Amino acid sequence: TQLLEQSPQFLSIQEGENLTVYCNSSSVFSSLQWYRQEPGEGPVLLVTVVTGGEVKKLKRLTFQFGDARKDSSLHITAAQPGDTGLYLCAGDKGRRALTFGSGTRLQVQP
Amino acid sequence: DVKVTQSSRYLVKRTGEKVFLECVQDMDHENMFWYRQDPGLGLRLIYFSYDVKMKEKGDIPEGYSVSREKKERFSLILESASTNQTSMYLCASSLSSGRVNTEAFFGQGTRLTVV
């Protein structure tokens, strides 16, 4: 059983479209991180959210942590081919290792 | 520039072989991790270590063991490789900050095929 469920699992969109990826859990996390992984590479950190309700922006990417700290979302405005990759959320449950979600594979067509 | 290096990008091993996957980090991080990545399952934690000679089981430790004799090196051992251990293996490291997880830095991964 996956502790962190991401949806959708796959997303193929045209350049310029907007999209939202969701990361849900029944557990409370003390913080949540989002990573992006490109083919042949390891995941790279995009952002960490810590406070319930927190919103962080990274250029065209907007990250939100749910009020109850059980879920998070990633919204991309005007997607570009360079946004293509696997997006992973990862939660901190207070142990020394992160728990990762199932991943959302995004393909942005030019 | 921070770096986590995994010894092999691709490995092909036979069923029953003992397999060693090596990982080295140059950032003086206390924490090191081994994950396996399978389509639709994200990253699943196999083992982690928060200090030299210290290790803790992750979520899927069966069939694996680890060794951390030096701070910069963390090895994953498949005692007797099986076909269901065919996967992408990712090593990561991070700074220790009490019980809070800091940014994890990943290697490029080792794609292991067991035939």
Side-chain angles (χ1 to χ4, degrees):
Chain A
T1 304
Q2 200 79 24
L3 211 55
L4 277 168
E5 295 287 344
Q6 286 186 239
S7 62
Q9 195 171 359
F10 299 101
L11 199 52
S12 182
I13 60 171
Q14 294 296 123
E15 184 176 358
E17 290 185 32
N18 302 333
L19 67 118
T20 302
V21 174
Y22 299 93
C23 174
N24 295 300
S25 175
S26 56
S27 303
V28 174
F29 290 94
S30 52
S31 69
L32 199 131
Q33 299 177 1
W34 283 92
Y35 288 78
R36 180 169 67 206
Q37 184 179 20
E38 298 184 15
E41 303 292 330
V44 175
L45 180 69
L46 295 173
V47 78
T48 300
V49 286
V50 177
T51 308
E54 182 177 3
V55 176
K56 278 193 175 177
K57 292 195 174 186
L58 191 68
K59 296 183 182 177
R60 294 175 293 99
L61 278 60
T62 302
F63 303 85
Q64 183 159 10
F65 201 13
D67 291 341
R69 289 185 289 127
K70 290 184 179 181
D71 55 84
S72 181
S73 64
L74 157 60
H75 182 79
I76 301 179
T77 304
Q80 298 179 2
D83 296 326
T84 292
L86 179 67
Y87 288 81
L88 294 154
C89 62
D92 176 357
K93 282 185 62 64
R95 68 172 177 178
R96 295 176 195 260
L98 291 166
T99 299
F100 278 83
S102 44
T104 294
R105 189 165 296 281
L106 172 66
Q107 176 99 34
V108 182
Q109 310 281 359
Chain B
D1 214 12
V2 297
K3 203 161 184 184
V4 177
T5 304
Q6 294 182 228
S7 53
S8 305
R9 292 294 299 268
Y10 301 94
L11 271 180
V12 179
K13 296 291 181 181
R14 295 197 179 278
T15 301
E17 275 193 75
K18 190 168 187 176
V19 181
F20 293 85
L21 302 183
E22 308 284 348
C23 175
V24 177
Q25 51 98 0
D26 64 0
M27 297 164 281
D28 202 34
H29 285 170
E30 293 84 3
N31 302 324
M32 295 190 75
F33 313 89
W34 276 105
Y35 290 89
R36 66 175 280 177
Q37 183 172 29
D38 300 287
L41 296 177
L43 275 63
R44 292 181 292 165
L45 181 67
I46 305 172
Y47 266 98
F48 64 102
S49 168
Y50 52 89
D51 201 351
V52 175
K53 297 192 188 291
M54 305 301 288
K55 60 186 179 185
E56 283 195 28
K57 291 181 180 179
D59 300 316
I60 51 163
E62 297 78 19
Y64 304 95
S65 62
V66 290
S67 172
R68 193 166 182 202
E69 297 295 319
K70 294 186 178 182
K71 190 176 185 180
E72 67 271 16
R73 187 178 296 270
F74 193 34
S75 303
L76 179 69
I77 303 151
L78 285 65
E79 296 292 341
S80 177
S82 64
T83 54
N84 63 13
Q85 292 178 310
T86 291
S87 186
M88 171 68 83
Y89 290 87
L90 286 163
C91 174
S93 71
S94 70
L95 270 175
S96 183
S97 178
R99 297 286 291 182
V100 175
N101 279 289
T102 57
E103 177 179 2
F105 293 87
F106 284 85
Q108 290 181 300
T110 296
R111 185 164 293 283
L112 172 68
T113 302
V114 182
V115 298

